[in-house]
């Protein structure tokens, strides 16, 4: 399945996020973020958060059956996109 459309949507949302909030404000987030945290951060559904977390290049890792993102890796990823 192609996620091209959703990926463009995330890029637009990240640009809005980058323009409206500083990276310093992300320091209040938990050390590891799950799909609910990612969904709330980017203002998308949990299903779309999972799609983003499975996108190649996104800094998510599997811990058992959980899919999580380290806060610092997410900040680095946001700054690089």
């Amino acid at each position: 399945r192609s996620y091209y459309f959703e990926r463009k949507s995330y890029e637009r949302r990240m640009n809005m996020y980058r323009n409206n909030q500083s990276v310093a404000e992300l320091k209040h987030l938990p050390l590891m973020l799950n799909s609910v945290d990612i969904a709330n951060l980017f203002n998308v559904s949990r299903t779309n958060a999972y799609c983003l977390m499975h996108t190649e290049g996104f800094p998510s890792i599997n811990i058992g059956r959980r899919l999580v993102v380290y806060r610092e890796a997410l900040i680095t990823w946001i700054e690089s996109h």
Side-chain angles (χ1 to χ4, degrees), residues 2-28:
S2 172
Y3 293 109
Y4 178 77
F5 177 75
E6 286 129 354
R7 187 176 180 107
K8 287 294 182 186
S9 174
Y10 290 123
E11 289 172 2
R12 274 187 260 123
R13 287 172 197 246
M14 283 192 328
N15 285 334
M16 289 179 357
Y17 186 81
R18 218 177 300 130
N19 293 335
N20 293 332
Q21 296 183 353
S22 69
V23 173
E25 293 177 15
L26 296 176
K27 296 293 183 181
H28 75 280

Side-chain angles (χ1 to χ4, degrees), residues 8-64:
K8 287 294 182 186
S9 174
Y10 290 123
E11 289 172 2
R12 274 187 260 123
R13 287 172 197 246
M14 283 192 328
N15 285 334
M16 289 179 357
Y17 186 81
R18 218 177 300 130
N19 293 335
N20 293 332
Q21 296 183 353
S22 69
V23 173
E25 293 177 15
L26 296 176
K27 296 293 183 181
H28 75 280
L29 295 172
L31 180 61
M32 292 191 301
L33 298 114
N34 59 19
S35 61
V36 174
D37 297 325
I38 296 296
N40 290 334
L41 181 65
F42 291 113
N43 196 26
V44 295
S45 69
R46 198 170 78 176
T47 302
N48 285 335
Y50 273 115
C51 290
L52 176 62
M53 293 171 80
H54 282 99
T55 302
E56 185 178 336
F58 193 79
S60 59
I61 59 170
N62 287 321
I63 298 179

